[in-house]
Amino acid sequence: MTITEMLGQSGLLTLLGMSVVFGFIIIMILCMKLLHAVIHALKLDKEEPAKTTVASTPAPAASDDGAIIAAIAAAVHDKALKS
């Protein structure tokens, strides 16, 4: 078998393999679209919303603002001293 025949055979085998994979992907996409249509037709895609209550956190008191600012200032000052 010559190199030309081997290259021709490998090219043919490559195209055959790529065609099989491409065909499988097309079939899989069509099956997924069919499944989506069936699920949508049977109205199985609608989920009931979860009945959860949203717990609101209270806003910090006005007196806490000074404590927060002091903590941030201390952290910045400490970071500046370590640098």
Side-chain angles (χ1 to χ4, degrees):
M1 184 178 270
T2 64
I3 189 74
T4 307
E5 292 173 346
M6 287 173 40
L7 285 174
Q9 189 177 11
S10 64
L12 184 63
L13 188 59
T14 301
L15 289 176
L16 179 66
M18 289 171 56
S19 299
V20 168
V21 170
F22 187 72
F24 175 76
I25 290 173
I26 295 296
I27 292 170
M28 186 175 64
I29 289 172
L30 292 175
C31 288
M32 289 175 65
K33 286 188 181 275
L34 177 67
L35 184 63
H36 178 264
V38 168
I39 288 175
H40 187 68
L42 296 176
K43 296 184 180 178
L44 297 174
D45 57 347
K46 304 286 183 188
E47 290 185 13
E48 293 183 20
K51 296 179 180 173
T52 60
T53 58
V54 177
S56 62
T57 57
S63 62
D64 289 341
D65 288 342
I68 293 171
I69 292 171
I72 293 172
V76 169
H77 181 69
D78 187 47
K79 182 71 174 172
L81 289 178
K82 289 183 179 179
S83 296

